[in-house]
């Protein structure tokens, strides 16, 4: 569940990279390089149908980044086991490290699916977990829809330097 949240943040960053024009792509590349996930800070309204999660995000770019909508599907062996959806837009203020609210909605066959997935990842057994995401995000001049299919969770964690310690901290908050 927490990985999905982190994946959501990754999706937001990825959305900024995908732009039709070459100049826009260069701008987005520079913006993405300057956005970093720092840590999860707190949770509230946790239930089987969703939660409010606060994360500290460093947006070192000179642009305000807005994520209008996002959806993440988590699959194991080709079967979707859970979906995380952003309930409302998320705004990352420019040139700041800010605590940002991520209002999330969960959909799964089991109420324990997210916690079970998170523990599996923390225990190093997440090699068979894949993420598919779709998101609409952008800066004031450029907005785009991005998507990618079947990305290994381990690759996302490695690329964004998200440690198992951070995931354990998230489990402790739950």
């Amino acid at each position: 569940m927490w990985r999905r949240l982190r994946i959501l943040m990754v999706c937001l960053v990825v959305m900024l990279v995908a732009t039709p024009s070459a100049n826009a792509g260069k701008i987005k590349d520079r913006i993405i390089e300057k956005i970093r996930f720092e840590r999860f800070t707190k949770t509230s309204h946790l239930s089987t149908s969703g939660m409010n999660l606060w994360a500290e995000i460093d947006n070192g770019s000179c642009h305000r980044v807005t994520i209008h909508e996002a959806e993440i599907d988590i699959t194991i062996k080709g079967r979707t086991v859970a979906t995380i959806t952003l309930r409302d837009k998320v705004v990352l203020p420019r040139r700041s490290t800010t605590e940002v609210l991520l209002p999330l909605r969960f959909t799964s066959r089991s109420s324990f699916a997210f916690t079970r997935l998170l523990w599996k990842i923390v225990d190093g057994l997440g090699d068979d977990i894949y993420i598919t995401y779709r998101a609409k995000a952008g800066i004031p001049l450029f907005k785009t829809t991005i998507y990618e299919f079947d990305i290994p969770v381990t690759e996302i964690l490695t690329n964004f330097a998200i440690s198992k310690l951070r995931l354990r901290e998230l489990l402790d908050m739950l």
Side-chain angles (χ1 to χ4, degrees):
M1 176 168 83
W2 299 113
R3 280 191 166 186
R4 288 188 181 191
L5 298 176
R6 291 183 184 194
I7 293 169
L8 175 62
M9 294 308 301
V10 170
C11 291
L12 299 176
V13 172
V14 173
M15 287 189 287
L16 297 175
V17 177
T19 303
S21 73
N23 289 337
K26 290 177 186 176
I27 292 170
K28 286 187 180 184
D29 286 342
R30 282 185 261 148
I31 292 170
I32 289 175
E33 290 174 2
K34 296 180 180 182
I35 296 176
R36 290 190 337 242
F37 166 82
E38 297 292 333
R39 64 188 178 98
F40 293 114
T41 56
K42 63 184 172 181
T43 62
S44 70
H45 300 91
L46 179 62
S47 71
T48 56
S49 63
M51 70 182 295
N52 288 334
L53 176 67
W54 279 265
E56 191 173 292
I57 307 294
D58 178 16
N59 181 4
S61 76
C62 61
H63 300 282
R64 179 184 62 155
V65 177
T66 303
I67 302 153
H68 300 281
E69 56 186 67
E71 182 175 88
I72 299 168
D73 292 327
I74 301 173
T75 60
I76 297 177
K77 298 178 183 173
R79 192 174 128 234
T80 300
V81 295
T83 300
I84 298 174
T85 307
L86 192 61
R87 291 189 326 254
D88 199 3
K89 72 179 181 177
V90 174
V91 178
L92 305 175
R94 65 189 188 118
R95 292 188 178 136
S96 66
T97 300
T98 309
E99 188 177 63
V100 178
L101 168 63
L102 302 171
L104 304 173
R105 175 176 293 118
F106 306 138
T107 307
S108 69
R109 293 182 177 206
S110 165
S111 61
F112 300 106
F114 294 106
T115 306
R116 187 175 63 243
L117 288 168
L118 185 57
W119 274 114
K120 191 172 181 179
I121 293 166
V122 168
D123 290 341
L125 304 172
D127 293 339
D128 61 343
I129 301 174
Y130 292 85
I131 302 298
T132 296
Y133 66 85
R134 295 159 299 283
K136 291 182 182 177
I139 60 176
L141 295 177
F142 302 104
K143 292 176 182 57
T144 188
T145 298
I146 62 162
Y147 54 89
E148 196 162 347
F149 300 97
D150 296 328
I151 306 165
V153 169
T154 52
E155 181 181 320
I156 292 171
L157 295 175
T158 301
N159 289 344
F160 287 89
I162 299 172
S163 69
K164 290 182 182 179
L165 175 63
R166 292 286 184 218
L167 292 176
R168 284 189 192 274
E169 289 173 355
L170 182 59
L171 278 169
D172 291 340
M173 281 189 252
L174 296 176

